[in-house]
Amino acid sequence: MDIPAIGDTEELSCDVLVIGGGTAGTMAALTAAERGARVLLLEKAHVRHSGALAMGMDGVNNAVVPGRAEPDDYVAEITRANDGIVDQSTVRQTATRGFAMVQRLESYGVKFEKDEHGEYAVRQVHRSGAYVLPMPEGKDVKKVLYRQLRRREMRERIRIENRVMPVRVLTSPEDGRAIGAAAFNTRTGAFVTVRAGAVILATGPCGRLGLPASGYLYGTYENPTNAGDGYAMAYHAGAALTGIECFQINPLIKDYNGPACAYVANPFGGYQVNRHGERFVDSDYWSGQMMAEFAAELASDRGPVYLKLSHLPEESVASLESILHTTERPTRGTFHAGRGHDYRTHDIEMHISEIGLCGGHSASGVRVDDHARTTVPRLYAAGDLASVPHNYMIGAFVFGDLAGGDASRYTAYEGTLPADQLAAAHELIYRPLRNPDGPPQPQVEYKLRRFVNDYVAPPKTGAKLSLAVAAFDRMTGEIAEMGATTAHELMRCAEVSFIRDCAEMAARSSLARTESRWGLYHERLDHPERDDTGWLHHLDLRKSASGAMEFTARPVEPYLVPVDGFAPAGGPSRHLGEVDLVPVATAGPREAAPAARAQAGPVPDAAHPAATPLRAGGASPRILELLALAEESPDLAALSPYLTDPDPAVRAAAVAALGETVPAGAGPALAARLADADPAVRAAAAAALRELVEVLPGGPELGAGLRAALAVPDAAVRSAALEALRALRLGEAGLYAASLADADPEVRIHAVRGLVSVDAVPELAAAAADPAREVRVAVAKGLASVHAPAPAPLDPLLADPDPLVRGAALGALASAGCPDGYARTAVAALADAAWQVRAGAAAGLSAAAAEAAVPALAKALADANADVRKAAVLALLAHRDTAEARAALATAVTDPDADVRAYAARG
């Protein structure tokens, strides 16, 4: 393609420019538009399926739900996880605003797991604090957000430009404030300039920094489109970045670029073990310290390390498969099948990811205050790009909302855009077109990221980091010589320049912090100790007026929430300037400079394969009409002809469009499709109802349609109908009790949940004789979940022949009560042959009288099974006001199992 003239530009104007259409960016755009601003949203891909949320999310890691967790506890937890280096005012925004954001997302149609009474089913994954809120059907989060962006009232204020990639934030020569951006179209190559009143960066982390063990450039733990764009743009705009030496490193599946998902598996009973089957992680929060323990175990003779799932019952394994093979990674099931592995017989071998930069899962990012403002006026950062430690998805939404609200005060810049900045951006974008035969982007990027692995990845040393800086300086010239012939290749070349900037920032920051902190994230072999006296500081970097990278040590501000072990005093910052490189010895001194090599001639270029034209698919023209119509947010009348089309593919597409646009009357229309003759249409309708159940009005027409669906000879439809009836409070005890006679166990489980939601204890107790074990387990748990649980209805389940049922019933005594007779039953069950029964008995004894429970639980601390010992410790914590319980806990602090030790220490 030809290089467009710098004057031949498409100029856009807006009040608020949002760069990045992922988690934080969509929320920023929505909030700014709601406040009356004209918003321009730029996305280098397509907003409908871009960012880390593109494939959905399996859960929220930091939901501070009232009654289940306290904001101050969460702030303290994150402070400990980040070794004290936090700005608590920013973390507190997520802690205090996160629950309102959960409710806002729910009003959009995002579905979070709830119990039978409609309460949020928050799980405890860490040893302190219950913050994890599962989203078992969270695969459609991005679709829901896109639906909000495309609402008529939002389309009037939000302009979306897909396939437009910004490369530089433009700043005012007078006062340095952000006034727009320079970009280009990744399809046509056209040069694009934007003038704006404020700019919000929401481009995600730098996930494409280190090279994965596979060597595949895009096989990263993080979304590989996140190449550090925002980090580089913020740096060159003059903003301060902080914590760049605190890397992100995660456990993942061996040979597969997917997380091992302990967050998902833990509530089901999964956990990490070494090859001997021993739990070994002492650290509580998912942090650099935990990764250090993980790496040490992996490198020892106790490795490899596994996520243990093979001990779980079929019901739990099936549920995990449903989540891990759909929402989390759709290719994961295929990967395991190709290896011949099954969670029932094989535990999952784990390994360590490549390094990256990420605020949301670690701490490295653009410095922001508690309104998402950077150090550059009118420039904001939100999401994984912003340095708000362990902010995760909810924090990204919260800071997107904060940025959008604050930025909405400004109106479009009306001055002349700075010619020198536009010229520099134009050169950065189009220089590869002048070298069409230059080194291709994949080769240059591979070399760059291999240097990152060789010299920057922990454990770090000054010598290796200095070699890294020299390598990245040298590669500036190689990057300038990269060749490209298409707009898509220009995008990839620009990304390499961003990766190089991030690599240099990571290396120089790691050199500047002369201590070890955050476990594996910043392990300096030449400075192995943590130094709170000299380094309880943020390490800020910025671009100086001369273009050099300079550093400032900024003291941590006094905490809003006190945390034992850390006492920041604040005070003045310490300007460090440029970092000194460590001298690296060579083979010896030279007596004379080496002679220059003769210039090599040009290397002939291999012929570029011609682009293969796309061929038209076999989709029905009616589907194409429907897709075009859906972009206009049609009403139900416009969609109705497609819902009854003779072609089932058209009907299924119409159901999908109905779920995406949600016009008035969508609920009854979806319920009607539950009786469709085609199974794919029924499945689509059931999925849409599950996704939208929180936002559909529960009127009588919808209730009638769902009741009618209970007669459909499709178990998945009947399950979906019961679930919707329960969630919308449209069912009663008689209806749910009737479904206990259904032939399908999954339907009967939903009937049990329905009975729990209306506290129908007699009908629920009648299901204790169900032939399916999984239903009886659900009954046991349900009897503990009604508003007034009592132990008597559990009697038949306590004598059940199946050990999993007995274990669930014994565990239910913890909520239902464990008076003397039941306490004797639980004590006797501590000698059962099945460990699940013994663990349930220990849990139940937490509600028994101390004189009966504590001696038995103390003996259970010697059980051969670690899960039983863990249950005994947790039960003893309920009795820790007695000296006997505290004495028993004291004996468990040296248990060989890490979980048992940790929980015992809390007592």
Side-chain angles (χ1 to χ4, degrees):
M1 61 171 286
D2 295 328
I3 299 176
I6 193 168
D8 186 14
T9 179
E10 179 185 355
E11 184 172 303
L12 305 174
S13 177
C14 61
D15 298 329
V16 176
L17 169 62
V18 180
I19 298 176
T23 310
T26 51
M27 188 59 68
L30 288 167
T31 296
E34 288 169 359
R35 302 286 181 88
R38 292 184 304 114
V39 179
L40 174 62
L41 177 57
L42 297 186
E43 168 57 55
K44 67 181 179 182
H46 192 292
V47 174
R48 171 65 181 79
H49 39 67
S50 64
L53 277 185
M55 292 308 303
M57 189 64 63
D58 53 47
V60 173
N61 295 344
N62 55 345
V64 184
V65 175
R68 298 300 306 275
E70 295 297 326
D72 284 2
D73 293 339
Y74 174 78
V75 172
E77 189 84 26
I78 298 303
T79 302
R80 285 189 292 267
N82 213 53
D83 278 1
I85 310 292
V86 299
D87 179 351
Q88 286 194 345
S89 66
T90 60
V91 176
R92 190 170 176 78
Q93 288 284 47
T94 298
T96 57
R97 292 172 176 263
F99 181 60
M101 183 56 67
V102 167
Q103 293 179 308
R104 178 175 176 180
L105 292 170
E106 202 167 46
S107 74
Y108 291 167
V110 177
K111 194 167 184 289
F112 299 96
E113 185 173 334
K114 293 184 177 179
D115 63 20
E116 293 82 358
H117 301 291
E119 302 294 329
Y120 293 99
V122 182
R123 309 288 179 84
Q124 182 168 346
V125 172
H126 310 296
R127 297 183 186 116
S128 65
Y131 308 115
V132 176
L133 180 55
M135 299 166 65
E137 297 164 27
K139 62 184 181 300
D140 294 319
V141 177
K142 196 64 195 294
K143 184 176 82 173
V144 171
L145 292 171
Y146 186 63
R147 184 168 66 225
Q148 291 300 312
L149 289 171
R150 302 304 295 162
R151 283 166 40 214
R152 283 191 176 88
E153 58 269 34
M154 288 293 102
R155 281 186 291 163
E156 293 173 358
R157 306 207 68 88
I158 300 174
R159 175 175 177 177
I160 298 174
E161 287 292 335
N162 293 307
R163 314 295 181 190
V164 175
M165 179 184 184
V167 298
R168 288 290 185 263
V169 172
L170 303 176
T171 57
S172 167
E174 289 79 25
D175 56 15
R177 74 180 189 270
I179 58 174
F184 71 103
N185 189 295
T186 63
R187 286 291 188 267
T188 67
F191 191 49
V192 179
T193 59
V194 182
R195 58 177 67 244
V199 178
I200 300 174
L201 292 172
T203 57
C206 182
R208 222 162 81 217
L209 183 61
L211 192 66
S214 66
Y216 178 46
L217 293 179
Y218 309 110
T220 53
Y221 177 93
E222 286 286 353
N223 184 337
T225 65
N226 294 330
D229 308 33
Y231 286 77
M233 284 190 278
Y235 172 74
H236 289 290
L241 293 93
T242 192
I244 304 301
E245 70 281 16
C246 180
F247 298 162
Q248 176 186 229
I249 307 170
N250 292 288
L252 76 168
I253 301 174
K254 182 75 165 62
D255 301 329
Y256 178 80
N257 66 323
C261 296
Y263 268 105
V264 180
N266 185 285
F268 288 90
Y271 47 82
Q272 297 168 90
V273 297
N274 57 29
R275 70 182 179 89
H276 301 299
E278 301 162 340
R279 283 186 289 231
F280 58 88
V281 174
D282 281 305
S283 177
D284 183 19
Y285 203 83
W286 202 270
S287 61
Q289 182 56 42
M290 181 179 285
M291 286 308 305
E293 295 175 18
F294 187 99
E297 199 76 6
L298 196 64
S300 75
D301 63 351
R302 298 177 299 278
V305 169
Y306 298 88
L307 178 63
K308 186 166 184 59
L309 301 176
S310 55
H311 66 297
L312 299 176
E314 171 60 29
E315 302 90 296
S316 298
V317 173
S319 295
L320 280 168
E321 284 179 331
S322 176
I323 297 171
L324 297 180
H325 297 177
T326 55
T327 300
E328 185 55 53
R329 290 289 193 279
T331 58
R332 183 168 177 156
T334 305
F335 169 80
H336 289 310
R339 294 288 177 97
H341 290 176
D342 186 302
Y343 298 156
R344 296 155 187 81
T345 54
H346 294 75
D347 296 319
I348 302 169
E349 186 179 353
M350 300 169 69
H351 205 63
I352 290 179
S353 73
E354 68 288 342
I355 68 170
L357 303 178
C358 181
H361 293 81
S362 180
S364 50
V366 179
R367 177 183 167 185
V368 294
D369 66 9
D370 54 4
H371 284 85
R373 306 179 190 113
T374 73
T375 56
V376 170
R378 302 197 189 186
L379 179 64
Y380 299 80
D384 285 341
L385 170 69
S387 179
V388 184
H390 299 278
N391 217 21
Y392 303 114
M393 183 183 80
I394 288 298
F397 280 130
V398 166
F399 272 80
D401 175 55
L402 290 167
D406 203 73
S408 65
R409 299 177 292 155
Y410 303 111
T411 56
Y413 178 72
E414 296 180 354
T416 302
L417 296 178
D420 57 338
Q421 296 179 39
L422 292 176
H426 189 275
E427 171 66 12
L428 171 65
I429 294 167
Y430 298 110
R431 68 187 176 191
L433 294 178
R434 290 199 296 271
N435 305 306
D437 299 330
Q441 164 264 332
Q443 291 182 12
V444 177
E445 182 176 336
Y446 183 94
K447 180 178 180 180
L448 170 64
R449 292 169 62 190
R450 196 203 72 217
F451 282 142
V452 171
N453 280 20
D454 289 347
Y455 299 132
V456 185
K460 310 172 187 179
T461 68
K464 289 199 300 182
L465 293 167
S466 298
L467 285 171
V469 170
F472 302 146
D473 284 345
R474 186 172 64 247
M475 286 205 69
T476 302
E478 296 179 36
I479 290 170
E481 295 172 357
M482 281 189 300
T485 60
T486 69
H488 180 81
E489 291 173 347
L490 289 179
M491 176 181 71
R492 293 299 186 214
C493 289
E495 288 176 338
V496 175
S497 73
F498 298 150
I499 296 169
R500 196 220 70 85
D501 287 344
C502 290
E504 182 181 356
M505 286 189 255
R508 289 186 183 272
S509 297
S510 296
L511 268 171
R513 184 177 285 276
T514 52
E515 64 157 357
S516 288
R517 190 176 290 268
W518 306 298
L520 188 63
Y521 296 168
H522 181 67
E523 181 186 356
R524 283 283 301 260
L525 295 179
D526 46 353
H527 296 282
E529 302 300 323
R530 195 176 86 186
D531 176 13
D532 282 347
T533 302
W535 276 111
L536 195 61
H537 289 64
H538 303 276
L539 180 65
D540 294 352
L541 72 86
R542 69 175 70 229
K543 187 177 182 179
S544 70
S546 65
M549 194 175 292
E550 61 179 21
F551 293 87
T552 300
R554 175 170 51 94
V556 174
E557 289 295 317
Y559 292 153
L560 303 172
V561 179
V563 177
D564 290 341
F566 301 102
S573 294
R574 186 167 81 240
H575 183 68
L576 304 177
E578 296 181 47
V579 66
D580 292 328
L581 302 185
V582 173
V584 180
T586 65
R590 295 183 185 275
E591 296 180 358
R597 289 185 181 181
Q599 184 65 39
V603 179
D605 181 37
H608 290 283
T612 303
L614 294 175
R615 292 183 296 177
S620 165
R622 293 276 287 169
I623 293 180
L624 301 179
E625 292 173 10
L626 178 61
L627 293 175
L629 178 64
E631 286 294 311
E632 302 304 318
S633 298
D635 58 19
L636 183 59
L639 290 173
S640 292
Y642 299 94
L643 289 167
T644 56
D645 193 276
D647 184 348
V650 174
R651 299 199 301 277
V655 166
L658 195 63
E660 186 164 317
T661 57
V662 199
L670 288 171
R673 287 301 97 203
L674 290 175
D676 195 279
D678 186 81
V681 178
R682 297 196 301 270
L689 277 168
R690 282 194 169 98
E691 177 193 339
L692 300 172
V693 71
E694 303 292 347
V695 295
L696 292 174
E701 188 180 359
L702 175 55
L706 293 172
R707 288 167 183 267
L710 295 177
V712 173
D714 183 332
V717 166
R718 300 196 300 277
S719 291
L722 282 170
E723 187 173 351
L725 285 164
R726 175 185 56 78
L728 294 168
R729 296 292 186 264
L730 295 174
E732 69 285 335
L735 179 141
Y736 298 130
S739 290
L740 288 174
D742 196 280
D744 187 84
E746 187 67 25
V747 175
R748 302 201 298 276
I749 288 174
H750 282 289
V752 166
R753 297 195 71 198
L755 290 169
V756 174
S757 71
V758 295
D759 291 317
V761 174
E763 292 86 348
L764 192 59
D770 193 280
R773 176 185 75 185
E774 59 268 33
V775 177
R776 301 198 302 278
V777 169
V779 171
K781 293 178 179 179
L783 287 169
S785 301
V786 295
H787 280 122
L794 291 165
D795 286 348
L797 298 165
L798 290 168
D800 195 278
D802 190 286
L804 289 184
V805 178
R806 294 200 306 280
L810 287 161
L813 293 173
S815 298
C818 192
D820 288 347
Y822 292 92
R824 288 193 293 274
T825 300
V827 170
L830 287 173
D832 196 280
W835 71 266
Q836 296 94 335
V837 174
R838 302 198 303 275
L845 286 170
S846 65
E851 56 269 22
V854 172
L857 290 170
K859 292 180 180 178
L861 292 177
D863 195 282
N865 185 280
D867 285 309
V868 176
R869 301 199 302 276
K870 176 181 173 181
V873 164
L874 292 172
L876 283 167
L877 290 175
H879 300 292
R880 59 182 158 186
D881 56 340
T882 67
E884 294 82 0
R886 292 194 298 274
L889 288 167
T891 68
V893 295
T894 58
D895 191 278
D897 184 83
D899 266 10
V900 176
R901 292 195 302 270
Y903 282 114
R906 292 185 181 278

